[in-house]
Amino acid sequence: MPLSAIARAAGVGQAVLYRHFPDRLELAWAVFADNLAELEHLAATTPGPECFGVLWRRMVEFTLASAAFVELVVQAHPTMPEALGEERFERLLAEPLARARDAGLADPRWTPSDILLLELMVYG
């Protein structure tokens, strides 16, 4: 999607969009940062073993809604800001996944790395 269309959909001028996001990759990083912040909020506010399922469903929704941005990020993976890196996702998923495994809601062999791989499969 052209950045001009994104600006229109956001209700801002193209110049405003470019001032904040000089290219698509910068915009993609911002979208990922917002998505990650929402996932962290969900993890912090959803008690019990069902938290993992809530996080997983939201991750899949983000992936489906932002497929073009996911492609940019996958291609730019080596230059990903550390604040958006895999380690942060793994930390986010570790406790909810452990609770789900303990409750029998997730395979006991699954690790946060496995969940990130599954997320890439959803994208693919």
Side-chain angles (χ1 to χ4, degrees):
M1 173 181 291
L3 287 177
S4 59
I6 294 170
R8 274 193 306 279
V12 300
Q14 195 167 345
V16 170
L17 185 69
Y18 277 110
R19 189 175 317 123
H20 293 284
F21 309 107
D23 59 36
R24 290 175 193 273
L25 188 55
E26 291 297 322
L27 182 57
W29 294 144
V31 168
F32 269 61
D34 283 351
N35 291 354
L36 187 52
E38 182 180 327
L39 291 171
E40 288 170 336
H41 175 75
L42 284 172
T45 59
T46 307
E50 66 277 357
C51 181
F52 174 72
V54 169
L55 290 173
W56 173 251
R57 283 186 294 280
R58 193 66 181 127
M59 287 173 64
V60 169
E61 289 170 0
F62 284 148
T63 300
L64 297 176
S66 304
F69 289 138
V70 172
E71 186 169 335
L72 278 173
V73 171
V74 167
Q75 290 174 358
H77 183 268
T79 63
M80 180 180 285
E82 191 170 315
L84 299 176
E86 293 173 15
E87 296 82 18
R88 187 171 171 189
F89 275 101
E90 289 179 3
R91 283 192 308 273
L92 164 73
L93 292 169
E95 180 60 30
L97 178 58
R99 284 183 277 165
R101 286 190 309 244
D102 291 347
L105 299 175
D107 190 305
R109 297 169 292 180
W110 287 353
T111 67
S113 294
D114 295 330
I115 302 309
L116 289 177
L117 179 60
L118 287 170
E119 181 67 10
L120 285 174
M121 290 177 181
V122 167
Y123 158 71

